[in-house]
Amino acid sequence: QVQLVQSGAEVKKPGASVKVSCKTSGYIFTGYYIHWVRQAPGQGLEYMGCIHPNSGGTRYAQNFQGRVTMTRDTSITTAYMDLSRLTSDDTAMYYCAREPPDTGAFDIWGQGTMVTVSS
Amino acid sequence: QSALTQPPSASGSPGQSVTISCTGTRSDVGAYNFVSWYQQHPGKAPKLMIYDVTKRPSGVPDRFSGSRSGNTASLTVSGLQAEDEADYYCNSYARSKNYVFGTGTKVTVL
């Protein structure tokens, strides 16, 4: 079945970077955008950006431009999200999600990766 | 890109209907058919409930329906059941070529 499995929880110090992985299986990796969404504790969902695994093309939300980098490794059907210059405001659950072609919707989600930024 | 506006809460008794609004602008909700809705239970990842404004993914009960009028999209849950108690978020593609989520609505089944 289609699955997105994310890497484990991270604890980082302010100013550091974090890289979260999203291992996919059960479908053609290069045919679907992968999006990243985060959710701070007790807060709503915040869109971060996306990558198309075939071309490697990316689009980043304005709030994260200059600080986020999304990449992929097609040989292991895995997408990555790298966020730099972390502050306590980046403490959140980070999700990857798949978008079927021409739907603008996120049909399958990863289980989430908790990133805690604390000195 | 500002978040889409949703009411913070909505409620209804079992069997009743509840409708959640999602207000955007002519640059997002009013401009594209890429409007979707997500259900999120505590501690869980979001689940797609509606896409393309009105379409239901396979496996989503037909008690869930979506609509749009102008710059406002709506999600209606008919025949409320206890398991429908959750947070609901709308999402839309935007002219900035990115996506934006709504502020979220907590649905309580009385």
Side-chain angles (χ1 to χ4, degrees):
Chain A
Q1 76 277 27
V2 176
Q3 279 191 304
L4 278 62
V5 179
Q6 298 182 222
S7 47
E10 303 264 10
V11 179
K12 296 292 183 180
K13 292 198 181 301
S17 297
V18 68
K19 190 169 188 175
V20 179
S21 68
C22 175
K23 167 68 177 170
T24 74
S25 60
Y27 73 99
I28 299 174
F29 178 64
T30 51
Y32 297 72
Y33 275 98
I34 292 289
H35 297 262
W36 291 88
V37 176
R38 77 176 184 180
Q39 185 172 37
Q43 302 301 308
L45 302 174
E46 183 178 21
Y47 183 76
M48 299 181 70
C50 65
I51 183 169
H52 198 290
N54 190 37
S55 66
T58 55
R59 294 198 306 266
Y60 303 140
Q62 190 170 8
N63 286 352
F64 297 96
Q65 284 186 5
R67 243 182 11 114
V68 71
T69 304
M70 296 176 186
T71 58
R72 90 295 189 213
D73 185 336
T74 56
S75 68
I76 55 172
T77 65
T78 298
Y80 303 91
M81 187 283 299
D82 196 314
L83 188 63
S84 63
R85 303 194 302 276
L86 294 170
T87 72
S88 57
D89 289 342
D90 295 314
T91 293
M93 184 72 80
Y94 289 76
Y95 293 101
C96 61
R98 183 188 83 157
E99 177 201 343
D102 298 324
T103 62
F106 315 141
D107 69 336
I108 305 293
W109 293 64
Q111 84 278 18
T113 296
M114 186 66 206
V115 175
T116 302
V117 182
S118 173
S119 55
Chain B
Q1 184 70 46
S2 300
L4 307 175
T5 301
Q6 297 181 232
S9 63
S11 62
S13 299
Q16 289 186 332
S17 294
V18 65
T19 297
I20 304 165
S21 61
C22 168
T23 301
T25 69
R26 290 179 297 178
S27 296
D28 39 61
V29 173
Y32 303 98
N33 286 335
F34 286 171
V35 176
S36 52
W37 289 89
Y38 300 86
Q39 176 192 66
Q40 187 180 35
H41 287 110
K44 301 294 188 182
K47 174 186 177 183
L48 178 65
M49 305 303 284
I50 295 288
Y51 69 100
D52 279 2
V53 181
T54 62
K55 297 177 182 176
R56 266 190 320 277
S58 173
V60 172
D62 60 6
R63 302 184 291 104
F64 292 85
S65 62
S67 63
R68 179 179 57 190
S69 177
N71 300 332
T72 298
S74 297
L75 173 73
T76 297
V77 186
S78 306
L80 266 176
Q81 298 184 4
E83 61 261 35
D84 300 333
E85 185 161 297
D87 294 326
Y88 291 83
Y89 295 91
C90 61
N91 179 274
S92 175
Y93 186 70
R95 198 156 286 162
S96 59
K97 297 186 179 181
N98 265 309
Y99 290 83
V100 59
F101 281 99
T103 49
T105 299
K106 181 177 181 59
V107 169
T108 302
V109 180
L110 301 171

